[in-house]
Amino acid sequence: MTGRILPPRVSEGAFHEFVTVAQNVVGKDHVYLDLKWELPSYNDEYATLPKELHQASAAVAPANVGEVQSIVRAAGQYGVPLWPISTGKNFAYGGPAPRVAGTVVLDLKRMNRIIEVNEKHAYAVVEPGVSYLDMYRHLQKVGSKLWIDPAAPGWGGMLGNLVDHGAGYTPYGDHLLMQCGMEVVLADGTITQTAMGGLPGSRTTHLYKYGLGPWADGLFTQSNFGVVTRIGIWLMPEPPGYTPFMITYGREDDLHEITERVRPLKLNNVIPNAATTVEMLWEAAVQKQRRDYYPGKGPLPEAARKKIREDLHIGVWNFYGAVYGPPAIMENNLDLIRDSLGSIPGAKIYFDKDRKGDIAWKYRKELMSGIPNMTEYNQMNWIPAGGHMDFSPISPVTGEDAMRQYSLIRDRVNRAGFDYVGEMLVGWRDMHHIFALLYDLQDEEEKRRAHRLFGELIDAAAAEGYGEYRTHLDFMDKIAGTYNWNNAAQLKHRHRLKDSLDPIGILGPGKMGIWPKQMRKEES
Ligand code: ADP
């Protein structure tokens, strides 16, 4: 057993017994134990700290919900913690790796059935292993007139992304909002259905989200209260027309005015999809290599940035949005957009015909119409051996907040020797600000610096009243610790739920700062 990190408080004997039971349940081929050939695929490839901190002791891949129940029960019997993953592509936030070293990964990739596509009511029901690419191909094959809302990149899972509160770029971009009906295996092995699904023979499980009584679905997202084994998800009917557009802006300060003008366009649904303001280096990183512009380390000098803008025909800020519907509606809304966003001095508006051959335009155009792709992953080639972690504070949709968050991050990032690579997505009332911290995985000092910087960003954002919506394994406790109003009443409430739903503490220890009792620091 040399090299294997056992789960905390689990003896070698108990671990072996659990493994034997798991092998009997799912078959030997689906319990992964090999430290050299199998388990490394459950590492966080982009870790800034030693990978051993999040190294799984084993992975178990059940084929159906009955097997999930049996594995969860065995885990309870032997006290073995489980970390459920769906397709395990949550890179930037820890990928497939568990929070606590030695945890067994419960890999749900084999549960990859598309259970239903309902064309009439525009929804699908999927298991955890169904990726956006799988679903897209399926819809194409059956000639469906429904769109999915893929995350960028599209190899991620529909369920895994949703339970981690992921977002996309069509009008259905708020994935949790579009979720309806959920099947969950609880820590004692019970299966439950949320909302309308609680009614035997229910005809509306995937049509009405809330059922009767407390809406529980949210409890099983970004949490460790259950293993989600199936979800319903609303799909967007293909609209009669689609016109994506891009507007470039030349000055850093334009972010203020762009954001002010986006707010009413979003509030009034003139732009129905995730309106996204993208900084120039995000655009560059998906299609170029940094060393083509600047050989050194440290933030890119202005001369190099200028050359990038010229080469790629982009601005400092690049706004992407789309209009959907019959031509008359699209034309009407485009006029409003031209009058508003298009009239900021220096703005240049582009449509599909203007950006032939532009890689960044192409993948945005695809994402905003539900076509999954992998282009954004090119960012990992911006620097050699590139790794990334995303810092994702939520902002109000105002020019002042956008500029404050941008300066707060950019200044610290540049001081620490990194580039600001970011985008801001406006949803219904908020703006998701995503800063991709890119670093060289082969440079230990740079990784340490990136890690330190991330912590500083969390503190600086919290001091200004901004919290993050999602995070990497290493920062779950720290960020959960910033949501500490009224003596951390929120976290204490979650811990009460944890103790009641999972008293042995086997599911996802540490997920989003929620710990089982025996691993918890004293709470006052
Ligand atoms: P994706 O399928 O998009 O690649 P992951 O499988 O990486 O997403 O999952 C993202 C995160 O969501 C995981 O770290 C895990 O904590 C949580 N998660 C994934 N699948 C489930 C599930 N079926 N039940 C509960 N939590 C899950």
Side-chain angles (χ1 to χ4, degrees), residues 330-407:
M330 292 196 293
E331 261 321 305
N332 178 71
N333 288 1
L334 280 173
D335 279 346
L336 295 171
I337 292 161
R338 279 191 198 97
D339 286 350
S340 168
L341 284 168
S343 69
I344 296 175
K348 284 197 197 115
I349 186 157
Y350 298 90
F351 295 95
D352 196 32
K353 63 178 176 15
D354 308 317
R355 302 210 65 104
K356 296 286 174 216
D358 176 347
I359 293 168
W361 164 261
K362 180 170 179 289
Y363 94 92
R364 295 269 175 196
K365 179 181 89 171
E366 289 176 352
L367 286 182
M368 292 189 288
S369 59
I371 302 175
N373 60 72
M374 288 298 294
T375 306
E376 202 162 270
Y377 219 65
N378 291 349
Q379 283 187 342
M380 296 308 102
N381 298 325
W382 176 239
I383 48 178
H388 75 145
M389 269 194 303
D390 287 357
F391 178 68
S392 325
I394 297 289
S395 171
V397 191
T398 72
E400 199 183 324
D401 285 288
M403 287 305 293
R404 188 183 299 120
Q405 282 208 1
Y406 169 58
S407 330

Side-chain angles (χ1 to χ4, degrees), residues 31-351:
V31 177
Y32 309 114
L33 292 162
D34 192 292
L35 290 165
K36 187 159 174 223
W37 299 107
E38 293 177 328
L39 290 181
S41 64
Y42 295 97
N43 283 342
D44 173 15
E45 278 313 309
Y46 301 135
T48 51
L49 297 178
K51 290 202 172 99
E52 296 72 52
L53 288 172
H54 303 296
Q55 190 175 303
S57 56
V60 179
N64 54 53
V65 70
E67 292 184 4
V68 174
Q69 289 179 284
S70 303
I71 297 298
V72 167
R73 289 199 179 110
Q77 187 180 344
Y78 295 103
V80 170
L82 298 174
W83 185 264
I85 62 164
S86 289
T87 63
K89 301 290 194 288
N90 204 23
F91 294 111
Y93 298 113
R99 167 72 182 82
V100 175
T103 301
V104 171
V105 172
L106 184 64
D107 183 347
L108 303 173
K109 68 179 170 210
R110 291 175 66 219
M111 294 176 62
N112 60 357
R113 286 182 308 155
I114 295 171
I115 291 160
E116 183 185 0
V117 172
N118 190 309
E119 203 72 25
K120 182 170 171 184
H121 295 292
Y123 69 79
V125 183
V126 295
E127 290 187 328
V130 178
S131 71
Y132 291 107
L133 289 162
D134 295 336
M135 184 55 124
Y136 180 72
R137 288 189 196 114
H138 176 78
L139 295 177
Q140 293 284 300
K141 197 169 92 200
V142 301
S144 171
K145 292 282 175 219
L146 299 173
W147 282 8
I148 56 169
D149 184 279
W155 61 355
M158 299 182 80
L159 189 153
N161 180 278
L162 184 151
V163 298
D164 217 39
H165 298 178
Y169 300 83
T170 77
Y172 280 36
D174 183 339
H175 292 169
L176 187 55
L177 192 65
M178 297 302 158
Q179 172 265 333
C180 189
M182 189 182 264
E183 176 187 87
V184 186
V185 172
L186 301 176
D188 65 357
T190 313
I191 309 182
T192 180
Q193 296 268 347
T194 60
M196 300 311 287
L199 182 85
S202 164
R203 295 171 191 271
T204 51
T205 304
H206 305 297
L207 303 180
Y208 178 62
K209 280 171 72 87
Y210 304 114
L212 181 81
W215 182 71
D217 302 48
L219 283 179
F220 301 107
T221 69
Q222 287 201 355
S223 87
N224 47 19
F225 298 157
V227 180
V228 183
T229 47
R230 183 184 286 202
I231 48 158
I233 182 159
W234 292 339
L235 304 179
M236 177 172 157
E238 182 183 303
Y242 164 58
T243 307
F245 63 89
M246 173 193 187
I247 311 177
T248 60
Y249 299 92
R251 297 175 326 125
E252 234 179 351
D253 291 352
D254 287 337
L255 178 64
H256 188 285
E257 197 54 33
I258 299 167
T259 313
E260 281 297 303
R261 295 192 188 198
V262 166
R263 185 180 57 252
L265 294 174
K266 278 297 300 169
L267 282 175
N268 296 297
N269 233 8
V270 175
I271 299 176
N273 73 322
T276 308
T277 310
V278 186
E279 204 268 349
M280 55 170 287
L281 292 186
W282 189 293
E283 299 282 88
V286 299
Q287 50 192 319
K288 293 284 175 194
Q289 291 199 310
R290 191 181 194 276
R291 61 178 168 216
D292 295 339
Y293 289 94
Y294 186 60
K297 292 229 174 196
L300 274 183
E302 182 47 35
R305 288 171 57 87
K306 185 158 175 279
K307 176 88 172 77
I308 291 173
R309 292 198 293 276
E310 286 164 4
D311 285 358
L312 301 181
H313 305 286
I314 57 174
V316 172
W317 296 105
N318 303 279
F319 180 85
Y320 288 91
V323 291
Y324 306 79
I329 290 190
M330 292 196 293
E331 261 321 305
N332 178 71
N333 288 1
L334 280 173
D335 279 346
L336 295 171
I337 292 161
R338 279 191 198 97
D339 286 350
S340 168
L341 284 168
S343 69
I344 296 175
K348 284 197 197 115
I349 186 157
Y350 298 90
F351 295 95

Side-chain angles (χ1 to χ4, degrees), residues 424-472:
M424 300 186 189
L425 285 81
V426 180
W428 288 98
R429 292 290 185 283
D430 81 289
M431 189 155 70
H432 283 41
H433 184 179
I434 314 291
F435 159 61
L437 175 55
L438 301 173
Y439 42 85
D440 180 348
L441 289 170
Q442 282 170 352
D443 184 335
E444 289 304 319
E445 185 280 325
E446 186 165 310
K447 285 199 289 183
R448 278 196 299 277
R449 198 156 22 96
H451 192 88
R452 254 196 328 271
L453 167 65
F454 206 97
E456 272 175 41
L457 292 176
I458 295 167
D459 290 334
E464 296 284 353
Y466 303 120
E468 288 71 51
Y469 90 100
R470 189 179 188 184
T471 196
H472 184 276

